[in-house]
Each structure stands twice: as structure tokens, then as C-alpha cells.
Amino acid sequence: MDPRQSQGRTVIRAGRVIDPSQSIDRVDDVTIVDGRIESVGPAAERPDRTIDAGGLIVCPGLIDMHVHLREPGGEEQETIETGTRAAAGGGFTAVACMPNTKPPIDNVDTLRAVLDKARSGAHCRVYPVAAMTVGQRGQVPVDMPALKAAGAIAFSDDGIGLDDDRVARAVFDRARPCDALLIQHCEVAALSAGGCVNQGRIAEQLGVAGIDPRAETEMLARDLDLLRGSPVRYHVAHVSTERAVDLVRRGKAEGLPVTAEVTVHHLALTEDAVLRQGANAKMKPPLRTEADVAACRRGLCDGTIDCIATDHAPHTAEAKERGLRDAPFGVVGLETAWPVSWGVLVETGRLDPAGLIDRMSCQPARILGLSDQGTLAAGTVADVTMLDATASWVLSANSLISKSNNSPFIGRHLVGRCVATLVAGVCRYVAEGSEGRFAQPG
Ligand SMILES: [Zn+2]
């Protein structure tokens, strides 16, 4: 990012400013000076440039703590450049990227290579998550202090559950002294092996093997037990079952240091989507039942589940065309996260707009320890998203910025769209047709 572009005074004029971190929800101006927020309030001085936010929501930049950028090793699916361009297009100013690359991010050199690529070519902030175990093989814990010092934001073997109880204990023990955040992909391999959709009705109807919901809950229950013994910052990735929501709820009630995320697709779709979308609705954990979706929504609204993530997992069309049984797991999500969540949660009255922004910006910032983000407080970095909550559109495969288009929402009618994304005051995305909102006063 070119810091020179962010110098001077920018005023985002007359938007509906929503900043849950300061309980702000009113029409106002936001002034940015040299890449930092100066104030939320009527702009005093003459700016170097203005952005007309009339009719738009102006909020702290969205943060996605679960993204697969695929680089290194999966560049035919996505790169740091294309993935972060898709992120900025979806309103995200920061993403945490998962370490299941080729090679995996399990050592300082690979971590530095990702950070270097991000520094030179990313369109938003990139926070690499390092592996929990060497090679993500679930046997030997990585050198957490060294990786953390080099910039790992958290540790996860995402894509694979940490099956071995003794190794799990060793990983927890290693995380504690360096205050590392662990992100667990809860999946007991023996209970999911061979499955490609949720166990039950749809699996039977299609004649494919199912994934037992206990694959998720058994590992989560074990981890909560480990936390009881000696606490460590622990985050559950992509909660998908009613029972997992209950386990997190009880863990929090006990005071355990557990946080949780739910993906947009687990909030929006039941296992029935597999019948319509085929392999583009195949992911881990799988789409579940209506009762599970309802529990995830309730959990998110009552604070049991802290935040929304995308688990953006690009795959080539060729790979997804192998069919439900053989296609890889995962769906893209960065560009649809805001409108789909808006439709499922805000339009239905489950959350107000501030509640949604809280779960897509403030909470992920808090969990990741990004104290300068998820807020429009004076003095913090000017990571700002401008959203049109009325734009109505239909998602088509070729409209996606991401290098891959394996979305379960293709053809879906969406309401809401990102109009502009500013990172440290620099505009990293402007929606087509919105360029006229940007002006340099003469
Ligand atoms: Zn995962």
C-alpha cells in the first residue's frame, strides 16, 4: 500500500455512521487525517477530498478471521492478490488467512514469505494464522513463540481436527506461556471419514456417506475439558451444530476463555442446499439441519457465538465438477458475506445493523487482539467500509472478483452491497458506478 495516498484530510460526508464500539448510529461525517480517524462529527476544516456517503452505512472495516488465500501452492485457486481484492470488494479491511497452504505455514520462513507477499500486493491487511503442528500432521507442536514473534496472529490446523488427545494437551501447554490464540477445526476423523454431507436425510436420499455431527461436538467437548484444567485463549472455528452451540454456551457460563465463530453459509443454508447446488454446497463442516441453523442464529444473536466468518475456500471449477462425492470441500464467501448476513439477520429482524457490524468487525478485532481496528474511535487506523443496504442484485458466477466461483449463492437474490473500502485511509475498492462519490474540492 502506498502510504502517500493516505496523507491529507479526507471527509466521508453525511453517511449513516454505525460504530458499535462507541454506540454510534447517526447521520454524520467521518474525518480522516493521514490514514487515521480524526473524528466522527461535523467536519470542521476544509478537506483535501470528500467522499459522499449519502444513503450509505459508514462503519469500521469488516474483519474476516477465517479465510483461505491458497498462496503458496494453490495459486490456480486463489492468490494473496486476488483473495484480498475479493475481500476488499466484500467490505473487508483485514483477513486472517489459514495455514493449510503448500507448504503449510508451520515455520518462520513460510510465514515471512506470506507476510512479504501481503506487504507488496495485498488489497487489505493480512494476518497469517500458523499451523498448530508441524506439517499440520497432528503430531509435533510448532515453535509457537518464534512464529508468534514473527507475526502469526493465531494457531490452527484448520482443515483437520487435532485428533490425538496427548498432542492436543501438548499444543495447549505450548500456547499458554506465550498467550497464543488457538483456533480449532473440530472434527474427529473417525466420525467424519468418507462422508461428504451431513449425516441423515439428505445423505440417505443421495446415497452418499454422511458426516456425523458428533465429529464436531466430541472434539469441542474434549477441548473444553482441557481448558478447564488450565486455560488458554481458544476459538472454535465454524460452529455448525445445535449441540456445539450449547457446549460453547455452557463453557462461557463456566467462565472458560472460549470464543466461537459461525460461517455465513451455516447461518443461511440447510443441508437441502446440496440438492440444488451440488458440490458448491459441499464444505466442512457440512450444512446441517434446520434446527442446527436456528441454533446457530440464536447463538450468534445472544452472544454465545461471537462473530461471523466466511471460511472463504476457493476451488477451481474443474475440481468442483468432479461431483459431490469427489469434489473438494469448501466454498468462497468474501463477496457475499455482508449481503447474505444482512438478508438472514437484519432484514428478518433478528439483529439490528449495529449488531451485524459488531459481529463482522468489532468482535473479530477483539478476538484477534487488533485493538486499533473494529472501531472508528479517534486516533485509530482509518479502516472504513461504506455499504449500501438497499442495493438489490443477483449473484452471477462471472461477477465474482475471486479467482474461483464455487459459491452456494450463485443465482441468489441479494440485498446490500459494499460501495467502498478504505484501509488506513486509502481507498482499496470502489464499486462500479460509485466513482462519482469521490471528489477533490477545487
Ligand atoms: Zn475448518
Side-chain angles (χ1 to χ4, degrees), residues 66 68 98 100 156-161 183-187 237-238 261 263 284-285 311:
H66 193 143
H68 299 270
M98 287 297 167
N100 61 337
S156 178
D157 276 356
D158 185 55
I160 312 163
I183 301 177
Q184 186 75 289
H185 169 114
C186 288
E187 178 186 346
H238 41 56
E261 73 192 25
T263 72
K284 271 187 177 176
D311 196 0

Side-chain angles (χ1 to χ4, degrees), residues 84-429:
T84 56
R85 193 142 47 89
F92 292 96
T93 53
V95 298
C97 62
M98 287 297 167
N100 61 337
T101 47
K102 294 172 207 149
I105 308 173
D106 65 354
N107 64 83
V108 169
D109 286 346
T110 307
L111 177 79
R112 288 215 177 107
V114 169
L115 284 169
D116 285 346
K117 264 274 167 61
R119 209 166 289 127
S120 60
H123 301 270
C124 70
R125 299 177 198 275
V126 173
Y127 295 99
V129 176
M132 280 174 178
T133 65
V134 174
Q136 293 196 299
R137 285 191 292 270
Q139 293 163 357
V140 180
V142 296
D143 186 347
M144 284 188 193
L147 282 157
K148 199 181 174 204
I153 190 99
F155 295 85
S156 178
D157 276 356
D158 185 55
I160 312 163
L162 193 50
D163 262 318
D164 189 306
D165 296 348
R166 276 192 319 186
V167 177
R169 187 178 295 276
V171 165
F172 279 51
D173 286 344
R174 190 161 289 199
R176 206 166 296 114
C178 62
D179 190 33
L181 171 67
L182 300 179
I183 301 177
Q184 186 75 289
H185 169 114
C186 288
E187 178 186 346
V188 173
L191 294 170
S192 66
C196 63
V197 299
N198 189 34
Q199 190 175 72
R201 190 168 52 84
I202 300 297
E204 282 156 27
Q205 191 176 328
L206 295 171
V208 296
I211 297 174
D212 190 329
R214 288 175 303 169
E216 175 172 271
T217 52
E218 288 199 358
M219 188 165 292
L220 175 55
R222 178 205 64 190
D223 287 353
L224 294 175
D225 266 343
L226 287 172
L227 287 184
R228 273 180 200 105
S230 43
V232 48
R233 288 197 290 145
Y234 175 87
H235 178 81
V236 196
H238 41 56
V239 165
S240 70
T241 60
E242 183 172 16
R243 169 131 171 81
V245 177
D246 283 340
L247 285 169
V248 173
R249 187 177 284 120
R250 275 187 271 156
K252 284 190 166 184
E254 272 180 60
L256 299 179
V258 55
T259 55
E261 73 192 25
V262 60
T263 72
V264 177
H265 45 268
H266 287 111
L267 288 168
L269 302 171
T270 66
E271 56 187 344
D272 289 79
V274 175
L275 299 176
R276 300 185 301 274
Q277 305 288 345
N280 276 348
K282 178 185 181 184
M283 75 289 287
K284 271 187 177 176
L287 297 171
R288 307 285 193 185
T289 67
E290 225 161 282
D292 293 313
V293 172
C296 287
R297 290 172 176 173
R298 269 198 313 277
L300 182 75
C301 294
D302 71 19
T304 300
I305 297 175
D306 300 81
C307 69
I308 298 174
T310 65
D311 196 0
H312 178 82
H315 288 289
T316 61
E318 192 190 15
K320 279 296 192 182
E321 277 157 16
R322 282 178 217 144
L324 191 58
R325 245 190 219 91
D326 301 318
F329 294 91
V331 297
V332 294
L334 285 164
E335 296 165 73
T336 47
W338 168 265
V340 172
S341 302
W342 179 272
V344 168
L345 300 167
V346 179
E347 288 208 309
T348 53
R350 292 187 174 94
L351 276 181
D352 60 8
L356 180 58
I357 291 161
D358 177 58
R359 285 148 182 88
M360 293 183 76
S361 176
C362 311
Q363 295 304 325
R366 177 181 63 84
I367 295 165
L368 295 173
L370 304 171
S371 56
D372 215 24
Q373 297 174 46
T375 178
L376 297 176
T380 60
V381 290
D383 288 8
V384 183
T385 300
M386 296 167 57
L387 301 155
D388 180 349
T390 61
S392 171
W393 54 298
V394 175
L395 181 72
S396 66
N398 55 19
S399 70
L400 287 167
I401 299 168
S402 168
K403 210 165 181 179
S404 296
N405 58 20
N406 50 310
S407 167
F409 300 114
I410 303 288
R412 187 168 166 128
H413 175 244
L414 301 171
V415 174
R417 186 155 215 175
C418 174
V419 169
T421 307
L422 281 73
V423 180
V426 180
C427 195
R428 308 303 309 210
Y429 171 79

